[in-house]
PDB file of all heavy atoms in Angstrom:
ATOM      1  N   CYS A1087     -11.556  27.630  13.193  1.00 94.00           N
ATOM      2  CA  CYS A1087     -12.575  26.718  13.726  1.00 94.00           C
ATOM      3  C   CYS A1087     -13.371  26.073  12.589  1.00 94.00           C
ATOM      4  O   CYS A1087     -13.568  24.854  12.557  1.00 94.00           O
ATOM      5  CB  CYS A1087     -13.527  27.472  14.655  1.00 94.00           C
ATOM      6  SG  CYS A1087     -12.884  27.789  16.315  1.00 94.00           S
ATOM      7  N   PHE A1088     -13.813  26.908  11.654  1.00 94.00           N
ATOM      8  CA  PHE A1088     -14.597  26.398  10.534  1.00 94.00           C
ATOM      9  C   PHE A1088     -13.755  25.532   9.607  1.00 94.00           C
ATOM     10  O   PHE A1088     -14.256  24.561   9.027  1.00 94.00           O
ATOM     11  CB  PHE A1088     -15.234  27.550   9.759  1.00 94.00           C
ATOM     12  CG  PHE A1088     -16.456  28.122  10.417  1.00 94.00           C
ATOM     13  CD1 PHE A1088     -16.501  29.460  10.789  1.00 94.00           C
ATOM     14  CD2 PHE A1088     -17.555  27.332  10.681  1.00 94.00           C
ATOM     15  CE1 PHE A1088     -17.617  29.993  11.406  1.00 94.00           C
ATOM     16  CE2 PHE A1088     -18.684  27.844  11.298  1.00 94.00           C
ATOM     17  CZ  PHE A1088     -18.721  29.183  11.658  1.00 94.00           C
ATOM     18  N   LEU A1089     -12.467  25.876   9.442  1.00 90.00           N
ATOM     19  CA  LEU A1089     -11.591  25.031   8.626  1.00 90.00           C
ATOM     20  C   LEU A1089     -11.505  23.631   9.211  1.00 90.00           C
ATOM     21  O   LEU A1089     -11.524  22.633   8.479  1.00 90.00           O
ATOM     22  CB  LEU A1089     -10.189  25.638   8.549  1.00 90.00           C
ATOM     23  CG  LEU A1089      -9.900  26.678   7.472  1.00 90.00           C
ATOM     24  CD1 LEU A1089      -8.410  26.986   7.429  1.00 90.00           C
ATOM     25  CD2 LEU A1089     -10.375  26.218   6.102  1.00 90.00           C
ATOM     26  N   ALA A1090     -11.390  23.554  10.533  1.00 91.00           N
ATOM     27  CA  ALA A1090     -11.326  22.253  11.200  1.00 91.00           C
ATOM     28  C   ALA A1090     -12.611  21.461  10.970  1.00 91.00           C
ATOM     29  O   ALA A1090     -12.579  20.245  10.741  1.00 91.00           O
ATOM     30  CB  ALA A1090     -11.078  22.439  12.694  1.00 91.00           C
ATOM     31  N   VAL A1091     -13.758  22.167  11.010  1.00 93.00           N
ATOM     32  CA  VAL A1091     -15.049  21.501  10.780  1.00 93.00           C
ATOM     33  C   VAL A1091     -15.143  20.993   9.344  1.00 93.00           C
ATOM     34  O   VAL A1091     -15.543  19.851   9.099  1.00 93.00           O
ATOM     35  CB  VAL A1091     -16.215  22.473  11.077  1.00 93.00           C
ATOM     36  CG1 VAL A1091     -17.548  21.850  10.646  1.00 93.00           C
ATOM     37  CG2 VAL A1091     -16.249  22.825  12.550  1.00 93.00           C
ATOM     38  N   VAL A1092     -14.765  21.857   8.386  1.00 92.00           N
ATOM     39  CA  VAL A1092     -14.820  21.474   6.970  1.00 92.00           C
ATOM     40  C   VAL A1092     -13.923  20.276   6.704  1.00 92.00           C
ATOM     41  O   VAL A1092     -14.327  19.315   6.015  1.00 92.00           O
ATOM     42  CB  VAL A1092     -14.400  22.659   6.076  1.00 92.00           C
ATOM     43  CG1 VAL A1092     -14.206  22.194   4.630  1.00 92.00           C
ATOM     44  CG2 VAL A1092     -15.436  23.761   6.136  1.00 92.00           C
ATOM     45  N   GLU A1093     -12.708  20.306   7.250  1.00 88.00           N
ATOM     46  CA  GLU A1093     -11.776  19.205   7.016  1.00 88.00           C
ATOM     47  C   GLU A1093     -12.285  17.908   7.633  1.00 88.00           C
ATOM     48  O   GLU A1093     -12.118  16.829   7.055  1.00 88.00           O
ATOM     49  CB  GLU A1093     -10.394  19.557   7.579  1.00 88.00           C
ATOM     50  CG  GLU A1093      -9.308  18.617   7.122  1.00 88.00           C
ATOM     51  CD  GLU A1093      -7.913  19.190   7.326  1.00 88.00           C
ATOM     52  OE1 GLU A1093      -7.781  20.234   7.973  1.00 88.00           O
ATOM     53  OE2 GLU A1093      -6.961  18.569   6.820  1.00 88.00           O
ATOM     54  N   THR A1094     -12.923  18.012   8.788  1.00 90.00           N
ATOM     55  CA  THR A1094     -13.488  16.833   9.443  1.00 90.00           C
ATOM     56  C   THR A1094     -14.615  16.239   8.605  1.00 90.00           C
ATOM     57  O   THR A1094     -14.708  15.016   8.422  1.00 90.00           O
ATOM     58  CB  THR A1094     -14.020  17.188  10.845  1.00 90.00           C
ATOM     59  OG1 THR A1094     -12.953  17.703  11.646  1.00 90.00           O
ATOM     60  CG2 THR A1094     -14.609  15.958  11.528  1.00 90.00           C
ATOM     61  N   LEU A1095     -15.492  17.106   8.080  1.00 90.00           N
ATOM     62  CA  LEU A1095     -16.604  16.638   7.249  1.00 90.00           C
ATOM     63  C   LEU A1095     -16.097  15.958   5.989  1.00 90.00           C
ATOM     64  O   LEU A1095     -16.609  14.906   5.585  1.00 90.00           O
ATOM     65  CB  LEU A1095     -17.511  17.822   6.893  1.00 90.00           C
ATOM     66  CG  LEU A1095     -18.318  18.428   8.039  1.00 90.00           C
ATOM     67  CD1 LEU A1095     -19.078  19.659   7.562  1.00 90.00           C
ATOM     68  CD2 LEU A1095     -19.276  17.411   8.634  1.00 90.00           C
ATOM     69  N   LEU A1096     -15.080  16.551   5.354  1.00 86.00           N
ATOM     70  CA  LEU A1096     -14.529  15.954   4.138  1.00 86.00           C
ATOM     71  C   LEU A1096     -13.845  14.626   4.428  1.00 86.00           C
ATOM     72  O   LEU A1096     -13.921  13.689   3.630  1.00 86.00           O
ATOM     73  CB  LEU A1096     -13.529  16.916   3.486  1.00 86.00           C
ATOM     74  CG  LEU A1096     -14.117  18.190   2.871  1.00 86.00           C
ATOM     75  CD1 LEU A1096     -13.003  19.082   2.349  1.00 86.00           C
ATOM     76  CD2 LEU A1096     -15.089  17.845   1.755  1.00 86.00           C
ATOM     77  N   LEU A1097     -13.189  14.569   5.573  1.00 82.00           N
ATOM     78  CA  LEU A1097     -12.466  13.353   5.934  1.00 82.00           C
ATOM     79  C   LEU A1097     -13.419  12.204   6.237  1.00 82.00           C
ATOM     80  O   LEU A1097     -13.100  11.044   5.987  1.00 82.00           O
ATOM     81  CB  LEU A1097     -11.565  13.624   7.145  1.00 82.00           C
ATOM     82  CG  LEU A1097     -10.586  12.516   7.550  1.00 82.00           C
ATOM     83  CD1 LEU A1097      -9.631  12.215   6.399  1.00 82.00           C
ATOM     84  CD2 LEU A1097      -9.810  12.923   8.793  1.00 82.00           C
ATOM     85  N   THR A1098     -14.599  12.527   6.760  1.00 80.00           N
ATOM     86  CA  THR A1098     -15.556  11.484   7.146  1.00 80.00           C
ATOM     87  C   THR A1098     -16.554  11.168   6.034  1.00 80.00           C
ATOM     88  O   THR A1098     -17.368  10.260   6.172  1.00 80.00           O
ATOM     89  CB  THR A1098     -16.339  11.911   8.402  1.00 80.00           C
ATOM     90  OG1 THR A1098     -16.956  13.198   8.183  1.00 80.00           O
ATOM     91  CG2 THR A1098     -15.412  12.010   9.601  1.00 80.00           C
ATOM     92  N   THR A1099     -16.492  11.946   4.927  1.00 76.00           N
ATOM     93  CA  THR A1099     -17.355  11.656   3.785  1.00 76.00           C
ATOM     94  C   THR A1099     -16.821  10.424   3.056  1.00 76.00           C
ATOM     95  O   THR A1099     -15.644  10.372   2.697  1.00 76.00           O
ATOM     96  CB  THR A1099     -17.401  12.844   2.807  1.00 76.00           C
ATOM     97  OG1 THR A1099     -17.933  13.981   3.494  1.00 76.00           O
ATOM     98  CG2 THR A1099     -18.291  12.522   1.615  1.00 76.00           C
ATOM     99  N   LYS A1100     -17.667   9.466   2.827  1.00 64.00           N
ATOM    100  CA  LYS A1100     -17.217   8.195   2.270  1.00 64.00           C
ATOM    101  C   LYS A1100     -16.755   8.307   0.819  1.00 64.00           C
ATOM    102  O   LYS A1100     -15.806   7.646   0.410  1.00 64.00           O
ATOM    103  CB  LYS A1100     -18.340   7.150   2.370  1.00 64.00           C
ATOM    104  CG  LYS A1100     -18.660   6.747   3.813  1.00 64.00           C
ATOM    105  CD  LYS A1100     -19.705   5.650   3.848  1.00 64.00           C
ATOM    106  CE  LYS A1100     -19.988   5.206   5.270  1.00 64.00           C
ATOM    107  NZ  LYS A1100     -21.002   4.131   5.328  1.00 64.00           N
ATOM    108  N   LYS A1101     -17.421   9.154   0.033  1.00 61.00           N
ATOM    109  CA  LYS A1101     -17.044   9.228  -1.376  1.00 61.00           C
ATOM    110  C   LYS A1101     -17.125  10.660  -1.883  1.00 61.00           C
ATOM    111  O   LYS A1101     -18.140  11.324  -1.730  1.00 61.00           O
ATOM    112  CB  LYS A1101     -17.959   8.339  -2.222  1.00 61.00           C
ATOM    113  CG  LYS A1101     -17.534   8.266  -3.695  1.00 61.00           C
ATOM    114  CD  LYS A1101     -18.391   7.272  -4.454  1.00 61.00           C
ATOM    115  CE  LYS A1101     -17.931   7.155  -5.910  1.00 61.00           C
ATOM    116  NZ  LYS A1101     -18.750   6.189  -6.677  1.00 61.00           N
ATOM    117  N   ILE A1102     -16.019  11.144  -2.448  1.00 57.00           N
ATOM    118  CA  ILE A1102     -15.967  12.464  -3.062  1.00 57.00           C
ATOM    119  C   ILE A1102     -15.557  12.271  -4.510  1.00 57.00           C
ATOM    120  O   ILE A1102     -14.467  11.784  -4.794  1.00 57.00           O
ATOM    121  CB  ILE A1102     -14.954  13.379  -2.353  1.00 57.00           C
ATOM    122  CG1 ILE A1102     -15.330  13.542  -0.878  1.00 57.00           C
ATOM    123  CG2 ILE A1102     -14.897  14.745  -3.023  1.00 57.00           C
ATOM    124  CD1 ILE A1102     -14.312  14.314  -0.082  1.00 57.00           C
ATOM    125  N   ASN A1103     -16.419  12.632  -5.430  1.00 53.00           N
ATOM    126  CA  ASN A1103     -16.135  12.422  -6.846  1.00 53.00           C
ATOM    127  C   ASN A1103     -15.876  13.754  -7.544  1.00 53.00           C
ATOM    128  O   ASN A1103     -16.796  14.496  -7.836  1.00 53.00           O
ATOM    129  CB  ASN A1103     -17.313  11.712  -7.517  1.00 53.00           C
ATOM    130  CG  ASN A1103     -16.986  11.297  -8.944  1.00 53.00           C
ATOM    131  OD1 ASN A1103     -15.872  11.519  -9.430  1.00 53.00           O
ATOM    132  ND2 ASN A1103     -17.965  10.690  -9.606  1.00 53.00           N
ATOM    133  N   MET A1104     -14.592  14.054  -7.755  1.00 48.00           N
ATOM    134  CA  MET A1104     -14.209  15.268  -8.466  1.00 48.00           C
ATOM    135  C   MET A1104     -13.212  14.925  -9.564  1.00 48.00           C
ATOM    136  O   MET A1104     -12.253  15.626  -9.811  1.00 48.00           O
ATOM    137  CB  MET A1104     -13.601  16.293  -7.501  1.00 48.00           C
ATOM    138  CG  MET A1104     -14.576  16.822  -6.478  1.00 48.00           C
ATOM    139  SD  MET A1104     -13.818  18.106  -5.473  1.00 48.00           S
ATOM    140  CE  MET A1104     -13.544  19.395  -6.683  1.00 48.00           C
TER     141      MET A1104
END
Side-chain angles (χ1 to χ4, degrees):
C1087 281
F1088 282 120
L1089 274 189
V1091 172
V1092 170
E1093 193 163 9
T1094 300
L1095 291 175
L1096 291 176
L1097 188 60
T1098 54
T1099 299
K1100 292 184 178 180
K1101 186 175 182 180
I1102 301 174
N1103 188 1
M1104 294 184 66

